[in-house]
Amino acid sequence: MKEKDKRILKANFLDEITEKSREKISSCYQCYRCTNGCPMAESMDIYPHKIMRYILLGERKKVLCSGAIWACLMCNTCSIRCPNDIDVAHVFETLRRIAIKDGVAANDNLWEFERLFLESIKNYGRLYELATILHYKLEKKEFFKDTVMGIKMMLKARMGILPHSIKDKRHIKGVFEKIEKGRSEV
Amino acid sequence: MPVLSYYPGCSLKTSNRFYEKSIRDVSLFFDIELREINDWSCCGASSASAVDDLLAYALPARNLAIAETEGYHIICPCPACYQRLRVANEKIRVDKGLMDEVNDAIAPLSCYGSMEVKNIIELFTEYVGIERIAASINYDLSSIAVVPYYGCVLTRSWRIKPFDDTEDPVSMDNIISAAGASVISWQYKMECCGAGKTITDKDTTLRLSSRIMDMALKKGADAIVTPCPLCQLNLDLLPIMGRRHESIPVLFITEVIEMAIHGRIGGGRSHIVPVDGLLKKMKNA
Ligand code: SF4
Ligand code: SF4
């Protein structure tokens, strides 16, 4: 690849993330504040400020395949502390969506769980905790891993057992379908 | 009698039913009527925004729209739901383009952001008042020392004005003091407990929540007090998740008030770390 083409490719990644997240990533001046306050930094293969740096450098693959974007807890500490008003957590969220779409996500457990969670809301209007967890465990074949915890919680009446449906289930399903349709049109 | 629209959120109807009972009990005591939003639905939690920005506004907006027709301000005890509802409410209010998109999705309902969304701490600071709490004490909690634990999201709503200081909130400290318990100051008011990873990555939750529990013990606290159902669940679950060291009880802020006014904790038996020791420390005022 020619030097010029490489440069274009790099700029494209920054533009892509800037456009999709609507965050001004180019204003990052590498102050480390996001990383300093991050409760997950020690378990990240790439620290948050480095993720920002790699976006600027156009390192598409490195960023999208990182485990870091999945380790994030969405606690917003980084976003609140960034002196340049970058919503770092939302950038991470944006990166996850692209990693999933491109099929390069390093860890899609969390995504699977979010998907099942949303499925529950779409069908019942509310979260059906136990069904969602059981589905997740079955799909991951982890059924027995946390069963002891589940039983103890149920005994203490801490786990929702009954499905909690809303009355107007058609409305909530309609909301999902309209948005899904809109998304597939863009 | 003040009336508020009440948005329970999924966790107060499932794993934290005793929190809802405690909220209702204390509200009734202070003559506040909570009217559950008719046919409310899930706010989308972190899942909606993981997938789609519009869905992350539309799901809370469905509830805001119903509340607008009922005409009362909204009280939302779960900080995660509070954040979703409040951000959606204030963005929709000022962004006409977003309002149209959202209202298209939730039609025939429509949301204009005309109500205010309040959290559980504001219920006490704005609708009850610190003085009234202090004047209502029937039991002496002065021998109980607690650490206030706000959890990570309550004041960290991105780009909207937080209801209290982002890094060092004090509003709940004041409520605890008014109820007569002593507040220990510490650095972990806003630390993350591991939030939604309890199911997908239990070890992370165990590590982060343990760190908070260890610090509370080191500070000499008898209990941790929180407004957040997720934090309460994660910290209270520690012994079941495999923590071997000692754990202290994790109370909801409303349970501290319950102790001060009634001398009991109605949902005491739903706690995994037993609260009996705490109750024994309490005296008649
Ligand atoms: S806190 Fe903001 S400016 Fe500082 S390194 Fe992180 S993203 Fe860049
Ligand atoms: S939101 Fe994610 S990246 Fe930011 S501080 Fe929290 S865990 Fe770290």
Side-chain angles (χ1 to χ4, degrees):
Chain A
M1 207 189 296
K2 285 204 206 91
E3 264 312 302
K4 192 171 151 253
D5 293 338
K6 270 193 202 159
R7 274 205 304 274
I8 292 171
L9 208 67
K10 285 176 181 178
N12 280 352
F13 186 48
L14 175 61
D15 289 347
E16 178 188 358
I17 305 300
T18 307
E19 192 197 314
K20 289 201 170 127
S21 68
R22 298 190 195 165
E23 296 300 325
K24 208 164 166 255
I25 296 158
S26 58
S27 66
C28 169
Y29 54 40
Q30 291 292 294
C31 70
Y32 287 52
R33 276 180 83 171
C34 48
T35 299
N36 276 338
C38 175
M40 289 306 281
E42 58 192 278
S43 339
M44 287 181 177
D45 50 354
I46 303 176
Y47 290 154
H49 73 281
K50 276 268 178 184
I51 292 275
M52 306 306 274
R53 183 82 188 129
Y54 284 142
I55 296 174
L56 287 163
L57 293 174
E59 300 274 6
R60 194 170 203 281
K61 196 168 154 217
K62 228 182 211 152
V63 171
L64 292 181
C65 299
S66 73
I69 59 175
W70 298 98
C72 169
L73 297 157
M74 295 294 151
C75 72
N76 278 349
T77 313
C78 49
S79 306
I80 291 292
R81 293 185 185 169
C82 173
N84 290 315
D85 198 39
I86 303 170
D87 189 346
V88 183
H90 186 60
V91 172
F92 272 53
E93 207 162 46
T94 310
L95 293 170
R96 283 182 187 176
R97 289 183 205 157
I98 300 172
I100 287 289
K101 219 172 115 226
D102 288 5
V104 297
N107 173 357
D108 56 6
N109 283 5
L110 196 65
W111 189 263
E112 276 301 300
F113 191 69
E114 311 280 30
R115 195 180 57 73
L116 291 168
F117 192 112
L118 282 178
E119 200 60 29
S120 168
I121 306 171
K122 185 176 173 182
N123 292 322
Y124 301 108
R126 291 180 197 164
L127 174 61
Y128 179 7
E129 274 182 333
L130 194 62
T132 306
I133 293 169
L134 289 184
H135 264 124
Y136 173 78
K137 295 286 174 198
L138 280 175
E139 286 197 10
K140 290 275 149 214
K141 302 197 170 47
E142 279 183 7
F143 191 66
F144 293 102
K145 210 168 137 192
D146 290 331
T147 325
V148 180
M149 181 159 125
I151 292 170
K152 283 193 187 161
M153 273 173 83
M154 259 189 279
L155 286 178
K156 281 274 182 184
R158 299 224 43 175
M159 180 83 83
I161 303 174
L162 300 166
H164 293 262
S165 315
I166 61 168
K167 279 173 265 158
D168 198 352
K169 279 189 278 198
R170 268 190 35 212
H171 182 247
I172 197 96
K173 212 170 192 151
V175 174
F176 272 85
E177 277 161 6
K178 261 182 255 174
I179 292 174
E180 281 159 11
K181 191 162 164 271
R183 208 186 305 148
S184 63
E185 275 166 11
V186 276
Chain B
M1 185 189 231
V3 181
L4 289 162
S5 269
Y6 164 59
Y7 180 81
C10 301
S11 84
L12 268 66
K13 293 290 180 188
T14 51
S15 46
N16 286 283
R17 265 172 297 189
F18 69 106
Y19 187 21
E20 172 170 75
K21 268 181 127 173
S22 177
I23 293 166
R24 286 208 172 275
D25 180 308
V26 174
S27 304
L28 194 69
F29 181 87
F30 289 112
D31 293 317
I32 294 168
E33 189 184 333
L34 303 180
R35 289 198 193 160
E36 189 165 316
I37 296 176
N38 180 43
D39 210 29
W40 61 272
S41 49
C42 175
C43 70
S46 57
S47 303
S49 71
V51 175
D52 189 287
D53 288 332
L54 182 56
L55 191 63
Y57 290 116
L59 291 180
R62 180 182 180 274
N63 300 294
L64 297 168
I66 300 171
E68 282 180 23
T69 65
E70 293 168 357
Y72 304 104
H73 293 310
I74 301 151
I75 167 88
C76 181
C78 169
C81 304
Y82 163 74
Q83 192 200 31
R84 299 283 164 197
L85 259 65
R86 193 168 159 221
V87 170
N89 196 41
E90 298 193 11
K91 283 230 167 135
I92 288 167
R93 186 184 296 162
V94 297
D95 183 342
K96 177 80 173 59
L98 178 67
M99 184 195 285
D100 291 343
E101 262 186 282
V102 166
N103 285 344
D104 231 23
I106 63 169
L109 298 173
S110 44
C111 171
Y112 304 100
S114 60
M115 291 295 146
E116 297 294 336
V117 180
K118 304 279 178 189
N119 60 54
I120 189 76
I121 293 174
E122 290 171 299
L123 175 79
F124 295 109
T125 53
E126 292 186 15
Y127 292 89
V128 178
I130 295 292
E131 296 79 13
R132 202 166 148 217
I133 297 172
S136 310
I137 293 178
N138 296 317
Y139 292 84
D140 179 6
L141 309 184
S142 61
S143 55
I144 298 176
V146 306
V147 282
Y149 177 57
Y150 294 74
C152 67
V153 299
L154 194 59
T155 61
R156 288 188 184 141
S157 303
W158 187 232
R159 286 183 189 132
I160 56 170
K161 198 174 166 290
F163 82 102
D164 196 344
D165 190 89
T166 316
E167 302 278 2
D168 187 22
V170 292
S171 46
M172 188 171 72
D173 301 27
N174 296 339
I175 299 172
I176 299 170
S177 301
S182 52
V183 177
I184 301 174
S185 87
W186 69 332
Q187 305 297 319
Y188 277 32
K189 280 182 174 179
M190 309 291 300
E191 282 300 314
C192 181
C193 69
K197 295 242 179 190
T198 320
I199 308 297
T200 54
D201 181 4
K202 199 180 73 195
D203 296 339
T204 292
T205 306
L206 180 62
R207 181 167 57 83
L208 295 177
S209 288
S210 269
R211 210 152 65 180
I212 294 163
M213 186 59 82
D214 287 340
M215 185 54 84
L217 283 161
K218 209 166 134 196
K219 287 279 174 184
D222 300 307
I224 299 175
V225 177
T226 185
C228 176
L230 278 179
C231 297
Q232 199 282 339
L233 184 62
N234 279 337
L235 291 170
D236 202 20
L237 269 180
L238 277 171
I240 289 178
M241 282 195 280
R243 176 185 164 86
R244 296 221 176 78
H245 301 283
E246 181 198 352
S247 283
I248 51 174
V250 189
L251 302 182
F252 286 116
I253 178 64
T254 51
E255 293 181 312
V256 176
I257 301 175
E258 259 188 82
M259 281 171 77
I261 57 182
H262 301 308
R264 57 156 171 79
I265 297 175
R269 291 188 51 200
S270 296
H271 283 255
I272 290 162
V273 179
V275 297
D276 314 321
L278 272 185
L279 293 168
K280 283 197 195 110
K281 285 191 143 195
M282 187 176 61
K283 295 184 270 296
N284 283 324

